[in-house]
Amino acid sequence: SLWTVCPPVTPPPFYTPVTGTISQNTTWTNANSPYVVQGNVTVNSGVTLTVEPGTIVKFDSGASITMSTSSAMNAQGLLRAKIYFTSLKDDSVGGDTNGDRNATQPSSRDWGEIRFNINSRGILQNTILRYGSNSSRYATVFNNGGNIDFVDSEISYYDFGFKQNLGTSTISYSFFRNNGNGTGFYINDGVANV
């Protein structure tokens, strides 16, 4: 063939990086995913982050999303277009985003958490969350005073799946699996409807 001497160049992996602060209403779309959260990303007070069906969000090592007071996350996937929150090393969705082929494999504690602070709001429906909670003080989803609906969703490969210190959580038709010796759902205070 014509490229025996000079093979074609493989393009670098495509992704949309997310860093720092989200200061205005923002929508993450399937067309621009995967998104890669780098470091600790904060959604400012009063701001809504919408994650559309079919969108893939990957987290770099130790990365987290913090929902500030009165902010909101609207992540409503569909049965046939689920939303994924997973490790940058997870090639099973969104492809080989970090471009290392098979050099790394995802595991629990790859990334931190999605934290909901006082008076924040979260709707996570038809979402799959994998490989979070990178220390005993984090949980893949951590409710620290927010109001969260966790519906038709799954958290897997974690140490802590869903932890509530304060606030209100409604969990329905959801699964916690492949956690090794971890804890699926832990309530310290607040109201939980399961």
PDB file of all heavy atoms in Angstrom, residues 169-184:
ATOM      1  N   SER A 169     -32.278  13.281  50.469  1.00  0.00           N
ATOM      2  CA  SER A 169     -31.993  12.451  49.294  1.00  0.00           C
ATOM      3  C   SER A 169     -33.147  11.495  49.055  1.00  0.00           C
ATOM      4  O   SER A 169     -33.663  10.887  49.997  1.00  0.00           O
ATOM      5  CB  SER A 169     -30.710  11.634  49.492  1.00  0.00           C
ATOM      6  OG  SER A 169     -29.597  12.474  49.671  1.00  0.00           O
ATOM      7  N   THR A 170     -33.543  11.367  47.814  1.00  0.00           N
ATOM      8  CA  THR A 170     -34.542  10.389  47.413  1.00  0.00           C
ATOM      9  C   THR A 170     -33.880   9.442  46.430  1.00  0.00           C
ATOM     10  O   THR A 170     -33.424   9.865  45.368  1.00  0.00           O
ATOM     11  CB  THR A 170     -35.765  11.062  46.766  1.00  0.00           C
ATOM     12  OG1 THR A 170     -36.342  11.971  47.722  1.00  0.00           O
ATOM     13  CG2 THR A 170     -36.796  10.030  46.349  1.00  0.00           C
ATOM     14  N   ILE A 171     -33.803   8.180  46.812  1.00  0.00           N
ATOM     15  CA  ILE A 171     -33.143   7.179  45.983  1.00  0.00           C
ATOM     16  C   ILE A 171     -34.167   6.129  45.596  1.00  0.00           C
ATOM     17  O   ILE A 171     -34.795   5.505  46.460  1.00  0.00           O
ATOM     18  CB  ILE A 171     -31.968   6.529  46.730  1.00  0.00           C
ATOM     19  CG1 ILE A 171     -30.926   7.596  47.075  1.00  0.00           C
ATOM     20  CG2 ILE A 171     -31.338   5.414  45.895  1.00  0.00           C
ATOM     21  CD1 ILE A 171     -29.770   7.099  47.890  1.00  0.00           C
ATOM     22  N   SER A 172     -34.362   5.951  44.282  1.00  0.00           N
ATOM     23  CA  SER A 172     -35.360   4.979  43.835  1.00  0.00           C
ATOM     24  C   SER A 172     -34.878   4.254  42.585  1.00  0.00           C
ATOM     25  O   SER A 172     -34.241   4.840  41.719  1.00  0.00           O
ATOM     26  CB  SER A 172     -36.701   5.665  43.568  1.00  0.00           C
ATOM     27  OG  SER A 172     -36.567   6.736  42.665  1.00  0.00           O
ATOM     28  N   TYR A 173     -35.179   2.961  42.544  1.00  0.00           N
ATOM     29  CA  TYR A 173     -34.885   2.098  41.397  1.00  0.00           C
ATOM     30  C   TYR A 173     -33.409   2.199  40.980  1.00  0.00           C
ATOM     31  O   TYR A 173     -33.089   2.267  39.796  1.00  0.00           O
ATOM     32  CB  TYR A 173     -35.804   2.435  40.218  1.00  0.00           C
ATOM     33  CG  TYR A 173     -37.260   2.389  40.575  1.00  0.00           C
ATOM     34  CD1 TYR A 173     -37.985   3.563  40.745  1.00  0.00           C
ATOM     35  CD2 TYR A 173     -37.900   1.175  40.782  1.00  0.00           C
ATOM     36  CE1 TYR A 173     -39.330   3.521  41.101  1.00  0.00           C
ATOM     37  CE2 TYR A 173     -39.241   1.126  41.137  1.00  0.00           C
ATOM     38  CZ  TYR A 173     -39.949   2.305  41.298  1.00  0.00           C
ATOM     39  OH  TYR A 173     -41.265   2.256  41.652  1.00  0.00           O
ATOM     40  N   SER A 174     -32.530   2.212  41.966  1.00  0.00           N
ATOM     41  CA  SER A 174     -31.102   2.405  41.695  1.00  0.00           C
ATOM     42  C   SER A 174     -30.282   1.275  42.310  1.00  0.00           C
ATOM     43  O   SER A 174     -30.762   0.551  43.188  1.00  0.00           O
ATOM     44  CB  SER A 174     -30.637   3.756  42.220  1.00  0.00           C
ATOM     45  OG  SER A 174     -31.298   4.814  41.535  1.00  0.00           O
ATOM     46  N   PHE A 175     -29.036   1.133  41.836  1.00  0.00           N
ATOM     47  CA  PHE A 175     -28.185   0.027  42.247  1.00  0.00           C
ATOM     48  C   PHE A 175     -26.826   0.536  42.728  1.00  0.00           C
ATOM     49  O   PHE A 175     -26.293   1.515  42.208  1.00  0.00           O
ATOM     50  CB  PHE A 175     -27.949  -0.931  41.069  1.00  0.00           C
ATOM     51  CG  PHE A 175     -29.201  -1.606  40.581  1.00  0.00           C
ATOM     52  CD1 PHE A 175     -29.930  -1.060  39.535  1.00  0.00           C
ATOM     53  CD2 PHE A 175     -29.650  -2.778  41.168  1.00  0.00           C
ATOM     54  CE1 PHE A 175     -31.087  -1.668  39.091  1.00  0.00           C
ATOM     55  CE2 PHE A 175     -30.803  -3.399  40.729  1.00  0.00           C
ATOM     56  CZ  PHE A 175     -31.525  -2.843  39.685  1.00  0.00           C
ATOM     57  N   PHE A 176     -26.273  -0.201  43.708  1.00  0.00           N
ATOM     58  CA  PHE A 176     -24.906   0.008  44.174  1.00  0.00           C
ATOM     59  C   PHE A 176     -24.229  -1.345  44.051  1.00  0.00           C
ATOM     60  O   PHE A 176     -24.632  -2.308  44.699  1.00  0.00           O
ATOM     61  CB  PHE A 176     -24.905   0.495  45.628  1.00  0.00           C
ATOM     62  CG  PHE A 176     -25.647   1.787  45.825  1.00  0.00           C
ATOM     63  CD1 PHE A 176     -27.016   1.795  46.053  1.00  0.00           C
ATOM     64  CD2 PHE A 176     -24.977   2.989  45.761  1.00  0.00           C
ATOM     65  CE1 PHE A 176     -27.704   2.983  46.223  1.00  0.00           C
ATOM     66  CE2 PHE A 176     -25.650   4.191  45.932  1.00  0.00           C
ATOM     67  CZ  PHE A 176     -27.016   4.186  46.161  1.00  0.00           C
ATOM     68  N   ARG A 177     -23.198  -1.440  43.194  1.00  0.00           N
ATOM     69  CA  ARG A 177     -22.624  -2.762  42.946  1.00  0.00           C
ATOM     70  C   ARG A 177     -21.121  -2.697  42.691  1.00  0.00           C
ATOM     71  O   ARG A 177     -20.572  -1.636  42.451  1.00  0.00           O
ATOM     72  CB  ARG A 177     -23.335  -3.446  41.785  1.00  0.00           C
ATOM     73  CG  ARG A 177     -23.236  -2.722  40.466  1.00  0.00           C
ATOM     74  CD  ARG A 177     -23.871  -3.546  39.335  1.00  0.00           C
ATOM     75  NE  ARG A 177     -25.123  -2.988  38.879  1.00  0.00           N
ATOM     76  CZ  ARG A 177     -26.206  -3.699  38.603  1.00  0.00           C
ATOM     77  NH1 ARG A 177     -26.210  -4.991  38.762  1.00  0.00           N
ATOM     78  NH2 ARG A 177     -27.300  -3.123  38.161  1.00  0.00           N
ATOM     79  N   ASN A 178     -20.496  -3.902  42.758  1.00  0.00           N
ATOM     80  CA  ASN A 178     -19.053  -4.040  42.503  1.00  0.00           C
ATOM     81  C   ASN A 178     -18.230  -3.111  43.379  1.00  0.00           C
ATOM     82  O   ASN A 178     -17.329  -2.432  42.912  1.00  0.00           O
ATOM     83  CB  ASN A 178     -18.736  -3.798  41.022  1.00  0.00           C
ATOM     84  CG  ASN A 178     -19.427  -4.795  40.121  1.00  0.00           C
ATOM     85  OD1 ASN A 178     -19.464  -5.986  40.404  1.00  0.00           O
ATOM     86  ND2 ASN A 178     -20.008  -4.304  39.043  1.00  0.00           N
ATOM     87  N   ASN A 179     -18.547  -3.121  44.669  1.00  0.00           N
ATOM     88  CA  ASN A 179     -17.905  -2.187  45.584  1.00  0.00           C
ATOM     89  C   ASN A 179     -16.835  -2.822  46.467  1.00  0.00           C
ATOM     90  O   ASN A 179     -16.296  -2.164  47.336  1.00  0.00           O
ATOM     91  CB  ASN A 179     -18.954  -1.522  46.483  1.00  0.00           C
ATOM     92  CG  ASN A 179     -19.652  -2.515  47.387  1.00  0.00           C
ATOM     93  OD1 ASN A 179     -19.969  -3.618  46.961  1.00  0.00           O
ATOM     94  ND2 ASN A 179     -19.904  -2.126  48.617  1.00  0.00           N
ATOM     95  N   GLY A 180     -16.529  -4.093  46.272  1.00  0.00           N
ATOM     96  CA  GLY A 180     -15.546  -4.723  47.140  1.00  0.00           C
ATOM     97  C   GLY A 180     -16.022  -4.698  48.580  1.00  0.00           C
ATOM     98  O   GLY A 180     -17.083  -5.194  48.900  1.00  0.00           O
ATOM     99  N   ASN A 181     -15.251  -4.060  49.457  1.00  0.00           N
ATOM    100  CA  ASN A 181     -15.624  -3.958  50.870  1.00  0.00           C
ATOM    101  C   ASN A 181     -16.181  -2.589  51.221  1.00  0.00           C
ATOM    102  O   ASN A 181     -16.237  -2.223  52.392  1.00  0.00           O
ATOM    103  CB  ASN A 181     -14.401  -4.269  51.750  1.00  0.00           C
ATOM    104  CG  ASN A 181     -13.936  -5.695  51.580  1.00  0.00           C
ATOM    105  OD1 ASN A 181     -14.744  -6.604  51.490  1.00  0.00           O
ATOM    106  ND2 ASN A 181     -12.629  -5.886  51.515  1.00  0.00           N
ATOM    107  N   GLY A 182     -16.568  -1.827  50.226  1.00  0.00           N
ATOM    108  CA  GLY A 182     -17.039  -0.464  50.462  1.00  0.00           C
ATOM    109  C   GLY A 182     -18.478  -0.404  50.946  1.00  0.00           C
ATOM    110  O   GLY A 182     -19.143  -1.408  51.156  1.00  0.00           O
ATOM    111  N   THR A 183     -18.961   0.830  51.130  1.00  0.00           N
ATOM    112  CA  THR A 183     -20.310   1.097  51.607  1.00  0.00           C
ATOM    113  C   THR A 183     -21.123   1.700  50.485  1.00  0.00           C
ATOM    114  O   THR A 183     -20.722   2.697  49.881  1.00  0.00           O
ATOM    115  CB  THR A 183     -20.268   2.075  52.799  1.00  0.00           C
ATOM    116  OG1 THR A 183     -19.463   1.494  53.833  1.00  0.00           O
ATOM    117  CG2 THR A 183     -21.663   2.345  53.330  1.00  0.00           C
ATOM    118  N   GLY A 184     -22.297   1.110  50.211  1.00  0.00           N
ATOM    119  CA  GLY A 184     -23.129   1.614  49.130  1.00  0.00           C
ATOM    120  C   GLY A 184     -23.793   2.932  49.471  1.00  0.00           C
ATOM    121  O   GLY A 184     -23.647   3.920  48.763  1.00  0.00           O
TER     122      GLY A 184
END
